[in-house]
Amino acid sequence: MLEISLLGATGSIGRQTLEVCAWQPQLRVLAMTGGRDWQALAKLAREYQPEMVAIADLQAYAPLREALADLPIRVEAGEDGLKQAACWPGADTVLAAISGMAGLPPLLAAIAAKKNIALANKEALVAGGALVMERAAQAGVKISPVDSEHSALWQCLAGEKTEQIAKLILTASGGAFRDLSLEELQSVTAAQALQHPNWRMGEKITIDCATMVNKGLEVIEAHWLFGVDYERIQVLIHRESIVHSMVAFQDGSIKAQLAQADMRLPIQYALLGQDRPQTSVSPPDLAALSALHFEIPDFLRFPGLAAMIEAGKRGGTAPAYLNGANEILNLAFRRGEIRFPALGQALGDLLAAYREVPADQEAVIYRADQQGREDAARLLSA
Ligand code: NAD
Ligand code: MG
């Protein structure tokens, strides 16, 4: 039996995790959390019968409690409620699938409570990098990637030695606008960006895919998860989303992991690893595909990608700062308050004017995130 606390249960990854739990009877969800949508959380709680639920929005506490009054389920709310879910006594593993920096406090709480982590919430690792890895090492807990690229890298690295890695090659679909010219990008809308060609995901990450900021976040995520320096992490556009990432070794070999674009596979691998229990997902039909393409990304059309990688290389609080700014700009684009090319440009400009400091304390990271948000908001209202 593997008992899980599921942070972000009502989201895209959260729901797919519950599907994996329905496939595999050895998985059980003991705690689950949501952001604001108490009705969705109540429905999931009724279906999966966890021991506790927590909702981030304090206003949603009373209606959620009411909705679950007939069930023996403890109900909590607010940041403290999320932390209680993250530390829920019976759970061995916390699947961290809150979107954005909001996931960092419960993630750190889970690590302090010595829970193994299955990590989807990349923003928390981007912002908290060194601190998260250091605390996980101290607590002796594993951080297993849920992100499909990192799951692929992890699978390719099974049985290999880190010092023999020549290069980590992260593949990217290129997002909804991969084939548009700079001029065409001027008039694209959030509604168009939300039509991702290969994956169905939450809104924030789908916009990050269109700007390719997502791949910049993933480069930083790979740096921390696998301890590989930035010079040895490469991004390639791969429009089919069949090769989920690759590792090149010093002897000249490359290992790749291929599968259909279905997040339930990396979720299951993060939870059950090399057991590889059977699923209903068939392997890709390579003959039907006929070709797999790989291209160098265009940093001119997608300056947000370059800015995010640069933030990673600069280190310290730079990634927390730029991630905070991106959360504001991403939302502004969804609301039609900033044009697509201006978003990537803004990330580059903000980073150029920022001076990072060492990110060795939680408070310093939250301050940098806050500053990124404020600077981005100021830029939007200018
Ligand atoms: P989503 O928007 O569908 O779900 C986000 C979840 O977090 C929801 O349960 C929401 O209620 C909760 N939440 C949002 N804001 C919150 C807050 N302030 N406090 C507490 N809870 C909050 O997002 P998603 O697509 O499921 O992505 C979740 C995470 O997984 C993100 O970090 C994303 O980058 C990562 N990820 C997602 C996918 C994917 O296919 N969806 C793939 C790889 C990585
Ligand atoms: Mg990914």
Side-chain angles (χ1 to χ4, degrees), residues 8-14 16 33-36 56 82 97-100 102 120-123 147-148 199-203 205 214 218 263:
T10 55
S12 157
I13 291 291
Q16 292 180 86
T33 78
R36 279 201 194 130
L82 296 185
I98 289 174
S99 166
N121 180 204
K122 62 191 85 180
E123 296 93 341
D147 215 347
S148 57
W199 300 92
R200 290 279 155 266
M201 308 174 285
E203 290 198 352
I205 182 175
N214 181 55
E218 290 185 356
M263 285 307 296

Side-chain angles (χ1 to χ4, degrees), residues 2-265:
L2 187 73
E3 325 248 54
I4 300 165
S5 168
L6 178 55
L7 310 181
T10 55
S12 157
I13 291 291
R15 287 170 188 278
Q16 292 180 86
T17 301
L18 292 169
E19 284 178 39
V20 171
C21 294
W23 282 347
Q24 310 300 354
Q26 69 268 46
L27 298 176
R28 216 195 133 216
V29 177
L30 294 190
M32 44 171 84
T33 78
R36 279 201 194 130
D37 187 348
W38 62 267
Q39 277 137 320
L41 187 59
K43 194 154 171 265
L44 292 177
R46 218 159 256 289
E47 195 175 340
Y48 289 90
Q49 306 270 331
E51 294 173 355
M52 80 90 73
V53 294
I55 188 104
D57 182 5
L58 288 167
Q59 311 250 13
Y61 173 71
L64 178 62
R65 216 187 133 141
E66 177 94 357
L68 295 175
D70 60 320
L71 296 173
I73 299 177
R74 179 142 149 208
V75 179
E76 298 289 344
E79 189 169 318
D80 191 54
L82 296 185
K83 284 188 180 165
Q84 286 187 52
C87 302
W88 193 247
D92 325 289
T93 297
V94 170
L95 196 136
I98 289 174
S99 166
M101 177 72 177
L104 183 59
L107 175 67
L108 289 172
I111 291 171
K114 297 202 186 307
K115 307 294 185 189
N116 286 319
I117 308 293
L119 184 76
N121 180 204
K122 62 191 85 180
E123 296 93 341
L125 187 59
V126 164
L131 195 76
V132 170
M133 296 312 292
E134 190 186 297
R135 294 209 183 156
Q138 276 167 6
V141 304
K142 278 191 307 191
I143 300 189
S144 308
V146 167
D147 215 347
S148 57
E149 296 76 3
H150 306 77
S151 177
L153 294 171
W154 193 36
Q155 293 178 55
C156 293
L157 287 168
E160 305 288 354
K161 298 191 180 78
T162 311
E163 56 278 17
Q164 293 165 354
I165 299 171
K167 207 161 44 170
L168 302 180
I169 305 167
L170 286 167
T171 55
S173 69
F177 304 144
R178 62 192 174 200
D179 297 320
L180 300 189
S181 67
L182 260 179
E183 196 173 328
E184 289 168 320
L185 288 175
Q186 285 293 342
S187 55
V188 295
T189 64
Q192 290 169 296
L194 292 172
Q195 299 298 316
H196 191 283
N198 306 0
W199 300 92
R200 290 279 155 266
M201 308 174 285
E203 290 198 352
K204 194 265 178 182
I205 182 175
T206 308
I207 300 297
D208 282 345
C209 285
T211 61
M212 290 202 70
V213 166
N214 181 55
K215 210 49 57 176
L217 297 172
E218 290 185 356
V219 167
I220 300 173
E221 188 185 6
H223 166 77
W224 289 117
L225 286 173
F226 303 109
V228 169
D229 52 73
Y230 287 99
E231 279 57 43
R232 291 186 297 151
I233 306 176
Q234 184 186 12
V235 174
L236 284 183
I237 305 287
H238 167 51
R239 53 185 61 238
E240 291 84 9
S241 292
I242 291 291
V243 174
H244 294 297
S245 277
M246 302 177 257
V247 180
F249 295 94
Q250 61 184 15
D251 64 353
S253 284
I254 289 183
K255 278 168 85 174
Q257 188 258 345
L258 284 70
Q260 287 194 47
D262 187 322
M263 285 307 296
R264 293 173 301 180
L265 296 186

